[in-house]
Amino acid sequence: MRYTLAELTERAQHLLKALTERYIRDGQPVGSRVLARDVGLNLSPATIRNVIADLEELGLVRSPHTSAGRVPTVSGYRVFVDTLLSVKPLELSLVGTMKESLGSGVDTKELVQKASSLLSDVTRLAGIVTLPRRNHAALERVEFLPLSEKKVLAVLVLNNKEVRNSILHTARSYSSAELQQFSNFLNAQFAGKELSEVREKLLSELRETRETLDRMMATALEMADQVLGTAEQGSDYVLAGQTNLMGVTEFCDVGRLRQLFEAFNEKKELLGLLDQCVENEGVQIFIGDESGYQMLDECSLVTAPYSVEGKVIGVLGVIGPTRMAYERVIPIVDATARILRAALNSQD
Amino acid sequence: MRYTLAELTERAQHLLKALTERYIRDGQPVGSRVLARDVGLNLSPATIRNVIADLEELGLVRSPHTSAGRVPTVSGYRVFVDTLLSVKPLELSLVGTMKESLGSGVDTKELVQKASSLLSDVTRLAGIVTLPRRNHAALERVEFLPLSEKKVLAVLVLNNKEVRNSILHTARSYSSAELQQFSNFLNAQFAGKELSEVREKLLSELRETRETLDRMMATALEMADQVLGTAEQGSDYVLAGQTNLMGVTEFCDVGRLRQLFEAFNEKKELLGLLDQCVENEGVQIFIGDESGYQMLDECSLVTAPYSVEGKVIGVLGVIGPTRMAYERVIPIVDATARILRAALNSQD
DNA sequence: CTTTAGCAGTCTCGCTCGGCGAGTGCTAAC
DNA sequence: GTTAGCACTCGCCGAGCGAGACTGCTAAAG
């Protein structure tokens, strides 16, 4: 008898579920005997074996070697998390504790770090949170301060929350009064607009102004352009609890572990992966090498986007072995995304 | 025959040196046979054995088990690095490359990160650099900007180089003009003074002013106090190249490795250790558990302080297995300290 | 047609055992 | 003081073996 994925017998589903859960719990190949006792159905090991053989043919489970039990394959996990998993809601008390531990962060970066630690603490795996990309942040105001000969400090205030500053090296010195004029001019023009918009407008104005030869305006615009150029914060993430992964039996091999940690340092690849999650709403899961990055072999990544004012500005998640307690990790990631969003929104 | 540490035979010294160097190279206990061939002196293994036996009695070497060669003990390493080691000067070309790779960092933090990476890249071990503690930094100026209702952005410029900002939550709103007044007042009073001095003076003025009931001054001073309180950056360090340690054979045990990495995350203890190096000039070395922190068992720490304008403001160094190539690491750490100092000083 | 018992076969794991090689410490001779 | 010789001690490694765990197949039972 032959099933397609869509029409797995109820029994087969049941067994795949039991097998996966058991394997996640114990980490050891599970055989027909234990499965027979574990699952509610009153079946003999022999019967179980028949069904399991079918599952193996479908590529959902495999045995590490003859005469060991079976373990789920990547496809097996996929089916498990997509259709078989019953996610238990989080205990309210835990959610409370989580909220608290994130609670009072004022600084955005601090919040992100706390969220990452939170994820790793609660799941006992590695937590990862991207820094918010506020492309849509509104420019609140710009301020220029003279520092010294030919050096000007530019202060950018975004959304009343975030502050970025950068030091500009200018061709000549500017007086306080001059800089004040620049600030006023720019604030009048751009305050309240989105950064991307500001940038665009800036360039067009710059072109226009060059023709009219208004020195002051041109200089101001040039300065602003410089600031925006440098202030574009390279997207990045904060990782926490890497050491938790060292306790995981799957990574007892140092070479394996090293590969993983080097992937963490690379950042680029992992960021690419995380970026894919920005679009999809809700929790998303990458299992094993599904991601295409073989450094994440034997790893799973559970992610959720987080947003502020309705716009997704980042992704957070958990990295752990494929054999992780999904039914627990998923609601935790989900909850953390909500908590972080709340914290960011209530930031005053 | 019995030596005290001070009066090791020339021959004994020679042998200890050869043994240590050999062990550092190969990582395996070295026996009398290889030692006899290795060292210039024309001696038979039997003779070597006699001398080595004396070294063992002094606690400078030990054998992991009967009938394996000898390895240096912590004391052995100590004697080795203190009196036997001949440090070869660094190739100029390497110094050049190092300078370059650090070269153009404008931001202090960026420089520190680059220095850390540099150390780890060149030594193939873990690099560590503390963030500069600029207790003696001069306060260049203070600026307050109104953000919104009851929120004020304070910008601190130090030494014409570093900028710190913090957001203050105030009891009532302040107008631009008011804040401008505060800034002017504070700048007139404190600009150019050292931070610690500013703080001190601030407190006394605050007390005095309360009596004269000058509202404006009092508020300004209070604000300044708040800023200084928050701006005190918690001392911290930047680590790089931890993954290099995973290649080291000494740390092939995951448990061991985990302990080490958790020590890195703790930060406090390691910082305490690094602080000890601030006082001593030049390169300093902690071998194995000499530091008192047993998480650094089997590790050595090679450090050097770095300074700006004659004042030591931080420490940098390398963490690796006790069995590291000291004669190479030491000059690298030394050079990096000088290069970082130069880079920080030339920061304009 | 489904389910089950029984059985032979296969593979891993952990254990012991013995040989090998390396290196020491001692003693006696140079 | 130096050296050769020798007995002895270990750690390492591979072979061999038994136990245990499952499977897949076949044939009988429901």
Side-chain angles (χ1 to χ4, degrees):
Chain A
M1 180 183 290
R2 197 163 262 272
Y3 309 109
T4 69
L5 270 184
E7 45 187 40
L8 273 180
T9 332
E10 186 150 350
R11 177 177 289 174
Q13 292 186 21
H14 208 95
L15 283 176
L16 178 57
K17 181 164 183 245
L19 185 146
T20 310
E21 280 169 351
R22 185 79 187 202
Y23 179 66
I24 286 177
R25 258 205 8 197
D26 305 354
Q28 277 170 357
V30 10
S32 55
R33 178 178 293 279
V34 284
L35 214 46
R37 212 179 322 109
D38 214 43
V39 81
L41 316 168
N42 233 346
L43 293 175
S44 78
T47 315
I48 305 276
R49 280 205 284 279
N50 287 327
V51 185
I52 295 291
D54 293 339
L55 288 178
E56 183 156 37
E57 225 171 304
L58 287 171
L60 298 179
V61 300
R62 61 185 182 80
S63 60
H65 58 84
T66 340
S67 138
R70 301 309 208 296
V71 304
T73 61
V74 171
S75 326
Y77 276 119
R78 183 86 268 165
V79 174
F80 177 71
V81 300
D82 283 349
T83 72
L84 305 175
L85 188 63
S86 47
V87 188
K88 16 177 191 177
L90 237 42
E91 314 89 70
L92 277 177
S93 63
L94 178 58
V95 178
T97 331
M98 285 168 69
K99 264 186 192 143
E100 242 172 73
S101 79
L102 202 61
S104 60
V106 188
D107 187 4
T108 302
K109 173 138 194 183
E110 197 186 326
L111 272 177
V112 166
Q113 277 167 343
K114 277 188 179 170
S116 193
S117 299
L118 179 60
L119 280 168
S120 79
D121 285 349
V122 179
T123 62
R124 304 235 130 258
L125 299 171
I128 188 167
V129 184
T130 66
L131 290 181
R133 274 192 300 139
R134 302 193 192 260
N135 280 341
H136 303 286
L139 174 63
E140 193 72 22
R141 57 189 298 186
V142 189
E143 214 66 43
F144 294 108
L145 301 174
L147 269 191
S148 65
E149 273 290 292
K150 301 189 181 174
K151 266 173 57 187
V152 172
L153 171 65
V155 180
L156 235 71
V157 183
L158 304 181
N159 270 347
N160 258 353
K161 284 169 198 165
E162 232 173 311
V163 181
R164 296 182 195 169
N165 40 27
S166 64
I167 295 175
L168 303 178
H169 295 249
T170 54
R172 69 165 176 91
S173 320
Y174 293 90
S175 69
S176 276
E178 276 177 302
L179 293 174
Q180 188 68 50
Q181 272 190 302
F182 293 169
S183 309
N184 291 342
F185 166 63
L186 289 170
N187 283 325
Q189 287 260 16
F190 299 114
K193 299 215 166 19
E194 283 191 6
L195 272 190
S196 48
E197 197 184 342
V198 169
R199 189 119 208 226
E200 211 173 288
K201 210 166 165 190
L202 207 60
L203 290 174
S204 70
E205 295 248 348
L206 203 51
R207 225 172 299 118
E208 236 174 79
T209 315
R210 278 234 180 77
E211 288 159 14
T212 66
L213 287 176
D214 185 330
R215 285 282 306 151
M216 189 204 93
M217 277 177 67
T219 316
L221 289 168
E222 263 163 26
M223 277 193 184
D225 187 44
Q226 257 190 72
V227 177
L228 281 180
T230 58
E232 201 67 63
Q233 74 185 351
S235 57
D236 198 2
Y237 57 72
V238 174
L239 203 63
Q242 297 106 301
T243 50
N244 282 339
L245 297 182
M246 300 210 216
V248 172
T249 47
E250 274 86 342
F251 307 130
C252 58
D253 173 38
V254 180
R256 189 80 203 71
L257 211 51
R258 180 174 193 176
Q259 207 182 6
L260 192 56
F261 274 59
E262 268 163 5
F264 291 158
N265 283 343
E266 274 310 314
K267 299 214 167 184
K268 268 175 305 185
E269 304 214 326
L270 209 41
L271 267 173
L273 194 53
L274 289 171
D275 270 347
Q276 293 177 31
C277 312
V278 172
E279 289 138 29
N280 302 48
E281 204 164 323
V283 176
Q284 191 161 358
I285 304 179
F286 292 91
I287 297 166
D289 55 0
E290 279 183 348
S291 55
Y293 303 101
Q294 73 272 45
M295 16 232 87
L296 290 187
D297 216 25
E298 305 220 33
C299 285
S300 283
L301 176 61
V302 179
T303 67
Y306 66 90
S307 52
V308 162
E309 287 160 12
K311 312 216 167 146
V312 173
I313 57 171
V315 178
L316 56 75
V318 165
I319 297 173
T322 336
R323 181 176 84 74
M324 70 163 78
Y326 295 96
E327 90 277 2
R328 188 163 175 74
V329 170
I330 290 173
I332 288 175
V333 168
D334 193 42
T336 309
R338 282 204 311 277
I339 294 174
L340 180 57
R341 180 184 57 189
L344 284 170
N345 275 325
S346 76
Q347 225 179 4
D348 49 26
Chain B
M1 179 184 287
R2 199 164 260 273
Y3 310 109
T4 70
L5 271 185
E7 44 186 44
L8 273 180
T9 333
E10 186 151 349
R11 177 177 290 175
Q13 292 186 21
H14 209 98
L15 283 176
L16 178 56
K17 181 164 185 245
L19 186 145
T20 310
E21 280 169 350
R22 185 80 189 200
Y23 179 66
I24 286 177
R25 258 205 8 197
D26 304 355
Q28 276 170 357
V30 10
S32 53
R33 178 179 294 276
V34 284
L35 214 45
R37 213 178 324 109
D38 215 42
V39 81
L41 317 168
N42 233 347
L43 293 175
S44 79
T47 315
I48 305 276
R49 281 205 283 277
N50 287 327
V51 186
I52 296 290
D54 294 338
L55 288 177
E56 183 156 37
E57 226 171 301
L58 287 170
L60 299 179
V61 301
R62 63 188 181 77
S63 60
H65 57 84
T66 341
S67 138
R70 303 306 209 296
V71 304
T73 62
V74 171
S75 324
Y77 276 118
R78 184 85 269 164
V79 173
F80 176 72
V81 299
D82 283 350
T83 74
L84 303 176
L85 187 62
S86 47
V87 187
K88 18 175 191 178
L90 237 44
E91 315 89 70
L92 278 177
S93 63
L94 178 57
V95 177
T97 331
M98 287 168 68
K99 265 187 191 142
E100 240 171 76
S101 80
L102 202 61
S104 59
V106 187
D107 188 3
T108 303
K109 175 139 194 184
E110 197 186 325
L111 271 177
V112 165
Q113 279 167 342
K114 278 188 180 170
S116 194
S117 298
L118 179 59
L119 280 169
S120 80
D121 285 348
V122 179
T123 62
R124 303 235 131 256
L125 299 170
I128 187 169
V129 184
T130 65
L131 290 181
R133 276 193 298 140
R134 302 192 192 259
N135 280 341
H136 303 286
L139 174 64
E140 192 74 20
R141 58 189 297 186
V142 188
E143 214 68 42
F144 295 108
L145 301 173
L147 269 192
S148 66
E149 273 291 290
K150 300 189 182 176
K151 265 173 55 185
V152 172
L153 171 65
V155 180
L156 236 70
V157 183
L158 304 180
N159 270 348
N160 258 352
K161 284 170 199 165
E162 231 173 313
V163 181
R164 296 181 195 171
N165 40 25
S166 64
I167 295 174
L168 304 178
H169 295 248
T170 54
R172 69 165 176 90
S173 319
Y174 293 91
S175 70
S176 275
E178 276 178 300
L179 292 175
Q180 187 68 50
Q181 271 191 304
F182 294 169
S183 309
N184 291 342
F185 166 63
L186 289 170
N187 283 324
Q189 286 259 17
F190 298 116
K193 298 213 167 19
E194 282 190 6
L195 272 190
S196 49
E197 198 184 341
V198 170
R199 189 121 208 225
E200 212 172 288
K201 210 166 165 191
L202 207 60
L203 291 174
S204 70
E205 295 247 350
L206 203 51
R207 225 172 300 118
E208 236 174 79
T209 315
R210 279 235 180 76
E211 287 160 15
T212 66
L213 287 179
D214 184 332
R215 285 282 305 152
M216 187 204 95
M217 276 176 69
T219 316
L221 289 169
E222 264 163 26
M223 277 195 184
D225 187 44
Q226 256 190 73
V227 176
L228 281 181
T230 57
E232 201 68 63
Q233 73 184 351
S235 57
D236 198 1
Y237 58 73
V238 174
L239 204 61
Q242 296 106 300
T243 49
N244 282 339
L245 297 182
M246 299 210 221
V248 173
T249 47
E250 274 86 341
F251 306 131
C252 57
D253 173 37
V254 181
R256 190 79 204 71
L257 211 53
R258 180 175 193 175
Q259 208 181 6
L260 192 57
F261 273 60
E262 267 163 4
F264 291 157
N265 283 344
E266 275 309 316
K267 297 215 168 186
K268 269 176 304 187
E269 304 214 325
L270 209 41
L271 267 173
L273 193 54
L274 290 172
D275 271 346
Q276 293 177 31
C277 311
V278 172
E279 288 139 30
N280 303 48
E281 203 164 324
V283 175
Q284 192 163 357
I285 303 178
F286 292 91
I287 297 166
D289 55 1
E290 280 183 346
S291 57
Y293 301 100
Q294 72 272 43
M295 15 232 89
L296 292 186
D297 216 26
E298 305 220 36
C299 285
S300 282
L301 177 62
V302 179
T303 66
Y306 66 90
S307 51
V308 163
E309 287 161 13
K311 312 217 166 145
V312 174
I313 58 172
V315 179
L316 56 75
V318 164
I319 297 174
T322 333
R323 182 175 85 74
M324 70 164 78
Y326 294 96
E327 91 277 0
R328 186 162 176 75
V329 171
I330 291 174
I332 288 174
V333 168
D334 193 42
T336 310
R338 283 203 310 276
I339 293 175
L340 179 57
R341 181 185 56 188
L344 285 170
N345 275 326
S346 76
Q347 227 178 5
D348 47 28

